[in-house]
Amino acid sequence: MRQFDKIPFNEKVIIYALYKKCVKRGSKVFVRFSHNLTVKQNRNWDYWTGTDIDLLEVTKERMIIGYEIKGMKKYKGKYEPPGLYKGLGQAMEYFNLPFVISKEDSKPKFNGGAFDFVYLVHARNEIRFSEYEKRIFDLVPIGFIIGTPDGKFETVKNAFLNPIQSKEAKEHLLNNLDSLEKFSLESKIFKKIQEVGEKYFK
């Protein structure tokens, strides 16, 4: 029996599979980026997110892309894909994140977020995106990606440019990627994800 017949296609597995795609195209990747950031250097600011950013990709072209990921969940004894709206609210939050909070007055330094594009990624048993779903997602700037248990992904709706992006916030993040060490591919957070992902695809 294949491992992915025994291990659910959950969020850790999806993050692992998506990270491999991002790295293959030359991007930098950070996982489960959150506001509990330990900054070793002496800085007068902190990042704050509220919700975890499941996967943050920085492309070779300096585009910042956020992915909110929802995997299979156990329901009545079997694993089911997430409902259409699962994670949509969290993905919407990405447009304004991360906040760059001044340590002097605890206020955000910029109005707007750093991300260029935001995607919601859902686990499904097959690539299927109905007209009803398309109509819903045409109302929002969020893109939609379907991941299947064999580790394949298909973008069924492209994301639009973040309508409330702050160019200053974007440059701040690009210039301080070294402060995201806790969420890098060398981190304990990623190592746990990697362990599950490698076991799944073994």
Side-chain angles (χ1 to χ4, degrees), residues 126-141:
E126 59 182 356
I127 304 296
R128 179 179 49 79
F129 194 58
S130 69
E131 281 300 315
Y132 160 72
E133 294 172 321
K134 185 177 183 298
R135 287 197 300 270
I136 295 297
F137 273 86
D138 280 346
L139 298 174
V140 295

Side-chain angles (χ1 to χ4, degrees), residues 52-200:
D52 284 0
I53 295 165
D54 289 326
L55 191 145
L56 185 155
E57 176 186 9
V58 180
T59 71
K60 292 187 294 184
E61 297 76 26
R62 292 170 61 85
M63 291 288 107
I64 303 177
I65 306 172
Y67 300 88
E68 173 64 25
I69 295 168
K70 294 299 176 187
M72 300 279 191
K73 296 287 186 182
K74 201 165 191 178
Y75 179 72
K76 293 186 177 180
K78 62 179 182 177
Y79 286 93
E80 298 284 352
L84 176 63
Y85 300 107
K86 193 74 173 177
L88 185 57
Q90 289 167 287
M92 289 291 286
E93 291 183 53
Y94 284 29
F95 288 121
N96 214 29
L97 298 177
F99 291 109
V100 184
I101 303 296
S102 169
K103 289 183 178 179
E104 295 176 0
D105 57 13
S106 299
K107 293 181 180 179
K109 285 179 171 287
F110 311 112
N111 292 318
F115 290 100
D116 291 287
F117 302 101
V118 174
Y119 282 89
L120 179 59
V121 184
H122 272 196
R124 291 190 177 179
N125 291 314
E126 59 182 356
I127 304 296
R128 179 179 49 79
F129 194 58
S130 69
E131 281 300 315
Y132 160 72
E133 294 172 321
K134 185 177 183 298
R135 287 197 300 270
I136 295 297
F137 273 86
D138 280 346
L139 298 174
V140 295
I142 296 168
F144 195 77
I145 296 173
I146 294 173
T148 51
D150 56 0
K152 294 179 180 178
F153 295 94
E154 185 167 325
T155 302
V156 294
K157 191 256 180 173
N158 288 315
F160 302 144
L161 191 65
N162 181 354
I164 56 172
Q165 184 187 46
S166 163
K167 297 298 183 183
E168 294 85 359
K170 176 181 176 177
E171 286 304 311
H172 190 283
L173 185 58
L174 289 173
N175 292 333
N176 290 282
L177 292 177
D178 61 320
S179 71
L180 306 187
E181 179 184 357
K182 183 177 178 180
F183 313 104
S184 73
L185 300 183
E186 303 301 321
S187 67
K188 292 180 181 178
I189 294 173
F190 177 73
K191 297 303 181 186
K192 291 179 180 179
I193 291 170
Q194 184 178 34
E195 182 180 352
V196 174
E198 288 181 348
K199 186 180 294 185
Y200 178 89

